[in-house]
Amino acid sequence: MTLRLSASLLLLVACSAPQATTPEDHAPSGLQVATVAPAAEPKTFQDWVEGLPPASEFVDQAFRAELSGAMTMSIPGMVDMSNPVEANMRVDLAGSMAVKDSSHLRYEVDVVVDLSSIPDAGVPGPVHVGLLFVADGETLSIVPQFHDEWILAQLESTGIGIENMVLTLDVDLFERMMTIYIRSFEASGMDMSLLVPKGMTVEEFFENSMNPALWARSFLATTDIVDFTVDQNKVHAVALLKKDLFTSMMGATPNGQDQTAMLESMRYSVTFDRWTGLPLGMEFGFAMEEEMNMSMSMSTTDFVVGPGAVEDVEFSYTMLDRQTRFPLDPWVQLMLTQMEAMIQEDDGDTSF
């Protein structure tokens, strides 16, 4: 399993494109590829998916893209259940991503969290934090950037130096962590096979995650399509999460009615590039009366694919004089050892 798994898990987008032969205006903006139109208009989402390149075709190309997203959440009675007051939260993110190959990537993301509508939250304004992720083939560097003076002042007052830390993690250890997390989900009862297209293993799914058609096939495998439209360049689908997958994710709950209500209220709205299967945007939300309302959206734009896409991108991080390195490897190694021991216990195996 390679570092490309991290990209697929964080963003749920696939970012390479097959070769073909129609005019470039049929390709999404910035996607440097031409395509072939199908012989007939697809009547259903499944018809369209089956006309895409096989999910087993692995295409490893460099790419870059811009991304943006937002999440809103409201929870009645979150602050004081004896005097319920609706608590609202909003998170906005924007940034860019660039991938040269499976172990060289760069993500720059700005996140703004607004808690101002939560009574007595004690936050003077929206929290603005930047995150830089850079992998140079051997080391993944994580660089937090604090844009609010009041947060910086609080961090500096501790004397620990958190505001100047650069977190690092060995790439091979990161890949092992992803593998063990998947095993942990499976050991806890989560059926990971429900996430992947029929006929593929979980390992094969993530190894081929750079193929844009794979995520369209996964969407078909994990949801029930309730609405489908197609135009010259885009495919739009509205869907519900499959009940078996939802049950596997949530596990057994004391109140089955609450679980059913959440499942029935969930809606996925996804837009794909018609010719490549590339996910271009997603909206997700659910509403439970007197419980919680949540909505989330994500979009990717300005895709450029091919060797020239990342010619000017720096896939290494140079420490500043004021910064200190904090290796996460010993802590992650300890955590993974403990997780592996728990997985063996769940499997009924004993380690000597």
Side-chain angles (χ1 to χ4, degrees):
M1 184 172 295
T2 64
L3 192 58
R4 67 176 62 91
L5 171 58
S6 67
S8 61
L9 291 178
L10 288 174
L11 301 168
L12 295 184
V13 293
C15 305
S16 61
Q19 296 298 315
T21 58
T22 59
E24 290 186 359
D25 59 358
H26 281 184
S29 174
L31 190 60
Q32 296 175 342
V33 63
T35 52
V36 174
E41 290 289 304
K43 301 299 182 184
T44 66
F45 187 81
Q46 183 167 347
D47 289 343
W48 169 69
V49 168
E50 291 177 350
L52 293 172
S56 59
E57 286 186 8
F58 175 70
V59 186
D60 194 354
Q61 296 188 53
F63 72 89
R64 75 169 187 264
E66 302 297 310
L67 61 93
S68 62
M71 183 187 74
T72 60
M73 181 182 299
S74 63
I75 306 176
M78 177 180 175
V79 179
D80 184 356
M81 292 304 294
S82 64
N83 182 26
V85 177
E86 186 173 271
N88 298 308
M89 178 180 71
R90 180 180 176 90
V91 179
D92 291 279
L93 66 87
S96 62
M97 54 183 175
V99 175
K100 181 179 180 181
D101 55 39
S102 61
S103 60
H104 294 79
L105 58 83
R106 185 182 185 95
Y107 288 86
E108 298 182 61
V109 182
D110 270 342
V111 181
V112 178
V113 181
D114 187 358
L115 306 175
S116 60
S117 65
I118 299 180
D120 304 321
V123 179
V127 178
H128 185 190
V129 179
L131 288 171
L132 170 63
F133 299 85
V134 180
D136 61 9
E138 296 181 357
T139 302
L140 172 66
S141 299
I142 306 170
V143 188
Q145 300 164 326
F146 304 99
H147 298 292
D148 299 299
E149 292 295 333
W150 65 274
I151 293 181
L152 278 172
Q154 289 188 1
L155 293 175
E156 290 169 356
S157 68
T158 67
I160 300 175
I162 297 175
E163 68 281 3
N164 292 319
M165 284 185 182
V166 174
L167 310 178
T168 62
L169 181 63
D170 181 80
V171 165
D172 291 337
L173 187 58
F174 178 83
E175 292 174 359
R176 180 175 167 232
M177 179 175 69
M178 293 294 99
T179 302
I180 293 176
Y181 264 107
I182 290 175
R183 289 177 54 201
S184 176
F185 287 137
E186 292 173 335
S188 66
M190 172 67 184
D191 186 355
M192 297 295 288
S193 66
L194 296 173
L195 293 171
V196 305
K198 188 175 181 179
M200 295 189 75
T201 66
V202 175
E203 186 77 11
E204 289 171 340
F205 176 78
F206 287 113
E207 284 296 327
N208 288 277
S209 61
M210 296 284 282
N211 185 333
L214 181 63
W215 286 103
R217 282 183 160 82
S218 178
F219 188 72
L220 177 63
T222 57
T223 62
D224 292 318
I225 307 297
V226 297
D227 188 38
F228 165 74
T229 58
V230 58
D231 61 23
Q232 184 180 13
N233 293 323
K234 296 179 181 179
V235 166
H236 179 72
V238 179
L240 305 175
L241 192 67
K242 284 188 180 294
K243 186 175 181 179
D244 289 348
L245 177 58
F246 178 83
T247 302
S248 180
M249 291 171 61
M250 297 295 291
T253 60
N255 193 335
Q257 291 182 344
D258 288 348
Q259 193 177 89
T260 300
M262 178 181 291
L263 174 62
E264 292 177 347
S265 71
M266 284 184 175
R267 289 291 186 277
Y268 290 85
S269 177
V270 180
T271 301
F272 299 89
D273 171 54
R274 177 179 176 178
W275 313 103
T276 65
L278 185 75
L280 302 177
M282 180 195 74
E283 294 182 1
F284 165 76
F286 66 87
M288 297 181 63
E289 188 176 354
E290 298 181 356
E291 292 288 339
M292 178 189 298
N293 296 331
M294 189 187 82
S295 65
M296 181 177 66
S297 64
M298 179 76 72
S299 64
T300 54
T301 58
D302 298 327
F303 265 91
V304 180
V305 177
V310 296
E311 285 182 342
D312 59 347
V313 178
E314 181 60 59
F315 291 102
S316 63
Y317 184 74
T318 302
M319 298 280 291
L320 303 178
D321 291 339
R322 59 180 173 79
Q323 291 180 320
T324 57
R325 189 184 307 276
F326 186 87
L328 296 174
D329 303 63
W331 312 101
V332 172
Q333 183 67 62
L334 177 61
M335 177 191 69
L336 295 182
T337 300
Q338 293 174 337
M339 289 180 66
E340 286 184 310
M342 293 175 62
I343 292 172
Q344 288 180 349
E345 291 178 4
D346 289 340
D347 291 339
D349 296 331
T350 303
S351 178
F352 293 96

